[in-house]
Amino acid sequence: MRPYAAADIGTWDLTADVVIAGYGVAGAAAAVEAARAGAEVLVLERAGGWGGAAALAGGFVYLGGGTALQRACGFEDSPEAMAAFLMAAMGPGADAAKVTDYCEGSVAHFDWLVGCGVPFNPVFYGDPAWEPAGDEGLMYSGGENAAPFDEIAAPAPRGHLPRMENKRTGERGGGYMLMKPLVDTAERLGVKAHYGMRIERLVVERDGTVRGVVARSYGERVTVRARRGVVLATGSFTYNDEMLAAHAPLLSGRPGAAVEEHDGIAVKLAQALGAGVAHMDACEVALPMDPQYSIRGILVNGRGQRFVNEDTYPGRLGHAALFQQDNQAFLVLDEEGFEEAGRVSAAPEFMRMRPAWVCETAAELGAAMGLPPGALESTLDVYNRHAEDGRDPLLRKAARWVRPLRGPLGAVDLRGMTSGFALGGLTTSADAEVLHVDGAPVPGLYAAGRATAGIAAWGYASGISLGDGSFYGRRAGGAAARNR
Amino acid sequence: MRPYAAADIGTWDLTADVVIAGYGVAGAAAAVEAARAGAEVLVLERAGGWGGAAALAGGFVYLGGGTALQRACGFEDSPEAMAAFLMAAMGPGADAAKVTDYCEGSVAHFDWLVGCGVPFNPVFYGDPAWEPAGDEGLMYSGGENAAPFDEIAAPAPRGHLPRMENKRTGERGGGYMLMKPLVDTAERLGVKAHYGMRIERLVVERDGTVRGVVARSYGERVTVRARRGVVLATGSFTYNDEMLAAHAPLLSGRPGAAVEEHDGIAVKLAQALGAGVAHMDACEVALPMDPQYSIRGILVNGRGQRFVNEDTYPGRLGHAALFQQDNQAFLVLDEEGFEEAGRVSAAPEFMRMRPAWVCETAAELGAAMGLPPGALESTLDVYNRHAEDGRDPLLRKAARWVRPLRGPLGAVDLRGMTSGFALGGLTTSADAEVLHVDGAPVPGLYAAGRATAGIAAWGYASGISLGDGSFYGRRAGGAAARNR
């Protein structure tokens, strides 16, 4: 964990200009950009192959401001509208400078991905879902067109999804189709990768400059010299139980959308050099729930009260359930709603919603759910009263999805079903330099991806991790390559 | 911020065995214990005098397990019951080893305080309040006797309050009456203190051992050598805007129950040496509200829904409002409730509750508050329906405080009124050694009080800060004195 003194290394086993730890999206983007800047690049990946959490992800990249894909789908957007949305939706605590930087560079970053061979199908998908039913390339992925964000910034869809090769089998999902072209590009540029190699320590000069890493490969110690810089891109600390207990205890026992390699090593190695961290308690959290169901019903907490507009980004529903409702949530829907959602749903089987209880009346359903008499009835009364007029003044769900819910009613039990990943991590500059707690860069050390506190503070949208991971991965690779 | 190399210090301006930064409760307890262990002790305090946040606090020290004061007041308690309560109420994320350690040492710690001359009046105060009306010495201060904690552990009051000299003027409040005897004891033991001296850097040997501090006194740099150890006891980071933005953004702009000296310097100085931090986003938050009012009414959020049993520790009401209800809260009470609370209240004037709106019916009141039709009415209907039977099945407020609320009704506007302080900080051992992110102690460096992540993770009770500050302050002073 503690740095290793450069003076104590006799012969280096490996040497490159830029050494990158982790071959997920941040590492791949860093590799491409460093190689293009003329650096000899070596990637050390702990797993047996490239990909990381990115290759297993749905593949959303959160971009906007008027990308070619947005325009091809007929949507207008601006960096300002995108920044206004992100400041509201990624907060509280979103970093205004970083958000602005990201939004201003977003159009060019999309073009960069396309230039690396990432395919995007210029078709918009507008149905409620976690991801498109087919190979559509653009979707709302953050609740931009729902309350309260629709009043904060002009909505535009910003979930950019690489075109999948085989949606049915999932083997060529969007994340894979993002990663494969990036890795191919890196390989064409001469980037070398070593797999099964896990970083253990940073190597540091007496003046504090990071000079390389000590890794472990099949039990053997390997010393790796970085002539220009080390890029940390090993992902979040979601699978480090001790770090979850210290920072994000509500996520303990419920990791999701992360890989087991996410052990927080990069955060700790940099902290040992005095690096700062931010938003270590923040998490993205989801409920395994098809939005076609939830949008038609009402989501209630352990007291039978509604707490979120059901038409927003589905990740916000899980976040609110875990952080604000003690991980207690039920979806209440009527027979018509269940049937309609079942007909139109394109979600995988495990996200189809089945009621744990079905009753003729709200009173009976509330009793079956263990709620006090009157609790669920009054919630439904208020909802139905306004739904008659197509309105939801309590939470501002869009009129399109509001209609009275009439018995027989069913309730899906979602208690304790949240899972997710940690959003906190190292503080970094716009050039992806790791920042010491005094605000100055740690010389020779760069980081990107979920090892860092990126665009998201206490909020999230699908595509933010692949977005800021690739965006600041590029910055890290470029800055490291230019560092002499 | 970064450590200063010991080799670069020519002549030390000051020298002591144990150097303590901060003369609040943690620093004072450390000073006493270090001096008793035979060390020459020097305290550096940034302000013009001793006291810190402690001397301005109400003065609760959270102790139990069967203290002499608890027994004198007729209450039984055990370390096990105390630990069961704290694990539930200080979580999620409470550190079981530290909680157990604290509970097992709690009776002896009370005796230690008494031995230092801290006066406690063996009289229990049982009315709903933030603190006793007079000079009573024992009170429930964490919701031990309210849901859900009353079913988790056998309730006992554990808020131990030093006897005040002049309750009316507040000049001799409980916090002062805790601090004064501790400082007097320290002075009798030969402890020296320098005021107006602000630590800026730690001085570190090449092997990583902390050897002293560099401080600033009226613009002049002062080097202070610690033969045995340095104790950091400079309080929380509540008044460091940048740290709040990075760690606890919801608290930005709403500091409370802290002093402006709480700038987080200790956290950053230790982080620069690789020290770990925990629960940096966690806060204690309060609403300026007399419990005599809130306990008789219902607290509702921005949607008119109840969200907490109003008879629990009042700090939990504010915490829930800020972290779970978007800082939106109203207290709804009927005329009888306002009048009764006004008659029995012993709270200061600013905590007396005045309604922003008074209406004949719930429907009118809800409209005046800007709530959608039906929202407040249904909340009151459900509450009153069960209150007829003296029950609150939704949130389990004790029967004693439950009765139907009948118009005319008033609502107190508590939106945005929360304030509080940060609970996160450095990770430390049971001996108050500052822990590196690799889990090993940083040699020569100790910390206690709100610069550390103590007993409280994401929950709180009044008296925890003076409790773990003094408890681990003692440990820090003792361990530093024994360190050779």
Side-chain angles (χ1 to χ4, degrees):
Chain A
M1 201 71 60
R2 294 185 191 228
Y4 199 95
D8 294 342
I9 301 227
T11 318
W12 295 91
D13 296 312
L14 299 167
T15 294
D17 293 329
V18 174
V19 174
I20 299 169
Y23 215 171
V25 73
V32 168
E33 204 80 338
R36 284 187 180 159
E40 183 192 359
V41 180
L42 178 60
V43 184
L44 311 178
E45 165 58 43
R46 172 182 163 184
W50 53 264
L56 303 174
F60 279 113
V61 187
Y62 196 91
L63 296 169
T67 64
L69 187 73
Q70 287 180 309
R71 284 183 280 114
C73 292
F75 289 97
E76 286 189 14
D77 196 9
S78 69
E80 293 72 26
M82 182 180 175
F85 168 76
L86 286 177
M87 283 308 295
M90 300 299 104
D95 179 332
K98 201 162 263 187
V99 164
T100 303
D101 176 44
Y102 184 76
C103 295
E104 287 174 351
S106 188
V107 166
H109 188 58
F110 175 78
D111 296 340
W112 183 90
L113 291 172
V114 171
C116 288
V118 182
F120 293 93
N121 183 17
V123 178
F124 172 71
Y125 187 78
D127 289 347
W130 279 100
E131 52 183 48
D135 62 357
E136 296 86 351
L138 187 67
M139 195 176 149
Y140 281 100
S141 68
E144 297 83 350
N145 56 344
F149 307 115
D150 59 347
E151 293 193 345
I152 291 171
R158 302 192 185 101
H160 290 58
L161 202 72
R163 186 171 199 160
M164 299 173 231
E165 286 193 358
N166 189 336
K167 174 80 180 181
R168 292 278 161 233
T169 66
E171 280 168 27
R172 301 282 187 220
Y176 178 90
M177 292 303 292
L178 171 68
M179 283 302 299
K180 181 75 165 71
L182 292 181
V183 172
D184 287 347
T185 303
E187 285 181 359
R188 275 196 302 276
L189 290 163
V191 168
K192 296 279 181 294
H194 284 263
Y195 298 103
M197 196 172 282
R198 182 174 185 167
I199 59 164
E200 289 189 338
R201 312 210 8 213
L202 293 170
V203 181
V204 178
E205 300 279 5
R206 282 207 57 192
D207 69 358
T209 301
V210 174
R211 187 55 70 207
V213 304
V214 175
R216 193 154 291 271
S217 175
Y218 305 103
E220 297 295 317
R221 197 187 82 151
V222 181
T223 57
V224 187
R225 180 176 167 224
R227 292 191 198 93
R228 303 187 196 170
V230 169
V231 177
L232 299 173
T234 54
S236 78
F237 60 89
T238 301
Y239 275 92
N240 184 316
D241 292 343
E242 192 192 323
M243 290 179 78
L244 280 193
H247 302 295
L250 282 172
L251 200 63
S252 291
R254 50 187 74 258
V259 292
E260 293 194 17
E261 287 80 6
H262 280 201
D263 62 358
I265 183 72
V267 176
K268 287 201 150 192
L269 292 181
Q271 278 187 295
L273 302 186
V277 291
H279 305 307
M280 292 290 278
D281 296 52
C283 308
E284 161 61 2
V285 181
L287 283 164
M289 179 170 68
D290 179 2
Q292 288 282 17
Y293 290 81
S294 44
I295 204 166
R296 290 177 162 79
I298 59 171
L299 208 60
V300 301
N301 62 17
R303 297 183 290 273
Q305 302 161 331
R306 286 179 73 215
F307 58 91
V308 65
N309 49 320
E310 296 84 0
D311 62 342
T312 189
Y313 168 51
R316 297 192 81 83
L317 311 183
H319 193 279
L322 180 62
F323 282 99
Q324 301 191 318
Q325 309 301 336
D326 301 322
N327 216 4
Q328 303 291 302
F330 303 92
L331 174 67
V332 176
L333 192 52
D334 60 7
E335 199 166 19
E336 180 186 336
F338 274 108
E339 283 176 3
E340 189 177 88
R343 264 198 315 277
V344 298
S345 173
E349 193 57 28
F350 78 94
M351 285 199 183
R352 306 290 182 100
M353 306 275 91
R354 286 180 190 76
W357 308 273
V358 177
C359 299
E360 285 303 313
T361 67
E364 289 163 7
L365 183 61
M369 292 162 67
L371 296 172
L376 185 64
E377 300 93 294
S378 67
T379 297
L380 273 160
D381 282 350
V382 176
Y383 182 76
N384 285 343
R385 167 181 179 165
H386 297 288
E388 301 277 5
D389 309 322
R391 294 174 60 244
D392 174 23
L394 203 69
L395 286 152
R396 298 218 297 107
K397 179 158 68 169
R400 178 181 171 195
W401 303 110
V402 175
R403 62 168 181 74
L405 301 174
R406 306 281 185 213
L409 297 163
V412 182
D413 189 353
L414 296 163
R415 291 174 294 182
M417 298 282 280
T418 49
S419 66
F421 53 91
L423 292 172
L426 298 168
T427 51
T428 52
S429 72
D431 270 341
E433 301 155 299
V434 171
L435 296 177
H436 190 274
V437 287
D438 71 4
V442 176
L445 190 63
Y446 305 83
R450 280 289 65 79
T452 68
I455 297 299
W458 274 92
Y460 198 72
S462 283
I464 288 292
S465 289
L466 299 184
D468 73 3
S470 56
F471 189 89
Y472 288 105
R474 286 176 62 201
R475 293 279 181 86
R482 290 189 304 274
N483 181 46
R484 308 272 181 168
Chain B
M1 201 72 57
R2 293 184 193 228
Y4 199 95
D8 294 343
I9 302 228
T11 318
W12 296 91
D13 297 313
L14 299 167
T15 294
D17 293 329
V18 174
V19 174
I20 299 169
Y23 215 172
V25 73
V32 169
E33 204 79 339
R36 284 188 181 160
E40 183 192 0
V41 180
L42 177 61
V43 185
L44 312 178
E45 165 59 44
R46 174 182 163 182
W50 54 263
L56 302 174
F60 279 113
V61 187
Y62 197 90
L63 295 168
T67 65
L69 187 72
Q70 287 180 311
R71 283 182 281 115
C73 292
F75 291 96
E76 286 190 16
D77 195 9
S78 70
E80 293 72 26
M82 181 182 177
F85 168 76
L86 286 177
M87 283 308 294
M90 300 299 106
D95 179 332
K98 203 162 261 187
V99 165
T100 303
D101 175 44
Y102 184 77
C103 295
E104 286 174 353
S106 188
V107 167
H109 188 57
F110 175 77
D111 295 340
W112 183 90
L113 291 172
V114 171
C116 288
V118 181
F120 293 93
N121 183 17
V123 178
F124 172 71
Y125 187 77
D127 288 348
W130 279 99
E131 52 184 48
D135 62 357
E136 297 86 351
L138 187 67
M139 195 177 149
Y140 282 100
S141 68
E144 297 84 350
N145 56 343
F149 306 115
D150 58 348
E151 293 194 343
I152 291 170
R158 302 192 185 100
H160 290 59
L161 204 72
R163 186 172 200 159
M164 300 174 231
E165 286 194 357
N166 188 336
K167 173 81 180 181
R168 292 277 162 233
T169 67
E171 280 169 27
R172 302 281 187 218
Y176 179 89
M177 293 304 292
L178 171 66
M179 284 301 300
K180 182 76 166 71
L182 292 181
V183 171
D184 286 348
T185 302
E187 285 180 358
R188 276 196 302 276
L189 290 164
V191 168
K192 296 279 180 295
H194 285 263
Y195 298 103
M197 196 171 285
R198 182 174 185 168
I199 58 162
E200 289 189 338
R201 296 175 67 180
L202 294 171
V203 182
V204 178
E205 300 279 5
R206 281 207 57 192
D207 70 357
T209 302
V210 174
R211 187 55 69 207
V213 303
V214 176
R216 194 156 290 273
S217 174
Y218 305 104
E220 298 294 317
R221 199 187 81 152
V222 182
T223 57
V224 188
R225 180 174 167 225
R227 291 189 200 96
R228 303 188 197 169
V230 169
V231 177
L232 299 173
T234 54
S236 77
F237 60 88
T238 302
Y239 274 91
N240 184 315
D241 292 342
E242 191 191 323
M243 290 179 77
L244 279 192
H247 302 295
L250 282 172
L251 199 64
S252 291
R254 51 186 76 259
V259 292
E260 294 195 14
E261 286 80 5
H262 280 202
D263 62 358
I265 183 71
V267 176
K268 287 200 151 193
L269 292 181
Q271 279 187 295
L273 303 186
V277 293
H279 305 306
M280 291 290 278
D281 296 54
C283 309
E284 161 60 3
V285 181
L287 282 164
M289 180 169 68
D290 179 2
Q292 289 283 15
Y293 290 82
S294 44
I295 204 166
R296 291 177 162 79
I298 60 171
L299 208 60
V300 301
N301 63 18
R303 297 184 291 274
Q305 302 161 331
R306 287 179 73 213
F307 57 92
V308 67
N309 48 320
E310 295 84 0
D311 62 342
T312 189
Y313 168 51
R316 297 193 80 84
L317 311 184
H319 193 278
L322 180 62
F323 282 99
Q324 302 192 317
Q325 310 300 337
D326 301 322
N327 216 4
Q328 303 292 301
F330 303 92
L331 174 67
V332 176
L333 192 50
D334 61 8
E335 199 166 18
E336 180 186 334
F338 275 108
E339 283 176 4
E340 189 176 87
R343 265 198 313 277
V344 298
S345 174
E349 193 57 28
F350 77 95
M351 283 198 184
R352 306 290 181 100
M353 306 275 92
R354 284 178 191 80
W357 308 273
V358 176
C359 299
E360 284 302 314
T361 68
E364 288 163 7
L365 183 61
M369 292 162 67
L371 296 171
L376 185 63
E377 300 93 294
S378 67
T379 296
L380 274 161
D381 282 350
V382 176
Y383 182 76
N384 285 343
R385 169 182 178 162
H386 297 288
E388 301 277 7
D389 309 323
R391 296 176 57 246
D392 174 23
L394 203 68
L395 286 152
R396 296 218 297 108
K397 180 159 68 170
R400 177 180 172 199
W401 303 109
V402 175
R403 62 167 181 74
L405 302 173
R406 307 282 185 211
L409 296 163
V412 181
D413 189 354
L414 297 162
R415 291 174 294 182
M417 298 283 280
T418 49
S419 66
F421 53 90
L423 292 172
L426 298 168
T427 51
T428 51
S429 72
D431 269 343
E433 300 155 299
V434 172
L435 296 177
H436 191 273
V437 286
D438 72 4
V442 176
L445 190 62
Y446 306 82
R450 280 288 63 78
T452 69
I455 297 299
W458 273 92
Y460 198 72
S462 282
I464 288 292
S465 289
L466 299 184
D468 74 4
S470 56
F471 189 88
Y472 288 106
R474 285 176 61 200
R475 293 279 181 86
R482 290 189 302 272
N483 181 45
R484 307 272 180 168

